[in-house]
Amino acid sequence: MTGSARRRTGDSRYGGRVPLVAAAVCPHPPLLVPEVAGSAAPELDGLRAACDTAVRRLLAADPDIVVLVGTGPVTGPIRTPATGSLQPWGVDLDVPLVPDLPDRGAVLPLSLTIGAWLLARHDTRPPVTAVQVAADAGPAELAALADEVGAAGDRVASLVLGDGSACRGEKAPGYDDARALPYDQSVAAALADADLDALLGLDPVVSTELKAAGRAPWQVLAGAARAAGGGWRGELLHDSAPYGVAYFVASWERV
C-alpha cells in the first residue's frame, strides 16, 4: 500500500485511524549546530549522524504531520509562525519552525529550535507543528499534551527533544551526582525497548535534581504512544555524555 493510500484508509491492524505512527528522540544541545560548536564540531559528529538517522526514519513513516515536543517556559502549543535564534550561543542564526513564512512570530525555546534545525537538514518536509512542556509539568498536563500530539493528524510522527542528566562528572553543569549514571542507564534502556511504563515512571523530583531536561517530553511521548495503542519497537542509536550531560538518540516505530 502506498503512503497516500495509508493516509486515506489508516491501518486495519489498529481499527482504522492510527494517530502516532513513529517517533524520534534526540537531545538539544546548541553544540549540535556546527556553527555554534566551531572547532569542536567534530566531537559531536557521531551524535549529529545519529540524529539524522532518527529523523530520516521518522520521515520514512510517511506522516501527514510532524509534531515537535520539547521543554519550554510553559506548557502548550506553539502557534506558527515561530522562530528560534542561536544568538544567545554566539551565532547569528535564525531557525524558523516553518520555512519561508514572512513573519518571525513566536519565539521557539532552545529545545524546539534544535528540533526545527534537525528537520531542516532533510529535504522531505511534511507540515510541522510544535508543543512545549514546562519542566515541572504534572501528570494531568502531560496527559493532555499527549492527547494533543495524537490528535494533530491522521498519521502523526513526533520528534521529541530532551537531554538526560547533567550531573555526569565534576565538570558537568550540575556537578557530579552518583545517581546520574543509573538514572541515565534506565532511560537508555526504556528508549531502546520503547518501555512506556518505565518512562512514565520517571520521578519528576529526581529528574529535576539531576537536571534531566528530557523527563517531561519523554513522558508526553510515552503517553501519546500508549493512547495510540498497539505495540512499539524501539532502537537506541546513540548514548553518550561527552560534556557531563547525557545525550540519547532513539527511533520508535509501530509493530
Side-chain angles (χ1 to χ4, degrees), residues 104-246:
R104 289 175 54 86
V107 177
L108 294 176
L110 172 63
S111 62
L112 300 178
T113 298
I114 297 301
W117 180 83
L118 286 170
L119 277 179
R121 290 165 62 85
H122 300 265
D123 293 333
T124 302
R125 289 294 304 270
V128 178
T129 188
V131 295
Q132 60 182 337
V133 53
D136 61 353
E141 286 180 283
L142 296 173
L145 203 58
D147 289 344
E148 187 165 334
V149 170
D154 290 329
R155 291 182 58 84
V156 179
S158 185
L159 174 54
V160 180
L161 291 307
D163 298 347
S165 78
C167 300
R168 295 276 293 274
E170 294 181 358
K171 295 184 179 180
Y175 197 61
D176 189 41
D177 192 312
R179 300 172 296 172
L181 180 57
Y183 177 95
D184 290 333
Q185 289 173 332
S186 69
V187 171
L191 293 175
D193 296 337
D195 187 336
L196 309 185
D197 287 336
L199 291 175
L200 290 170
L202 290 173
D203 188 313
V205 174
V206 173
S207 300
T208 298
E209 291 173 349
L210 296 177
K211 302 185 183 300
R215 190 273 306 180
W218 300 328
Q219 290 184 329
V220 172
L221 166 61
R226 173 155 291 170
W232 289 87
R233 179 189 299 115
E235 183 179 355
L236 189 68
L237 303 175
H238 188 92
D239 176 4
S240 68
Y243 308 118
V245 182

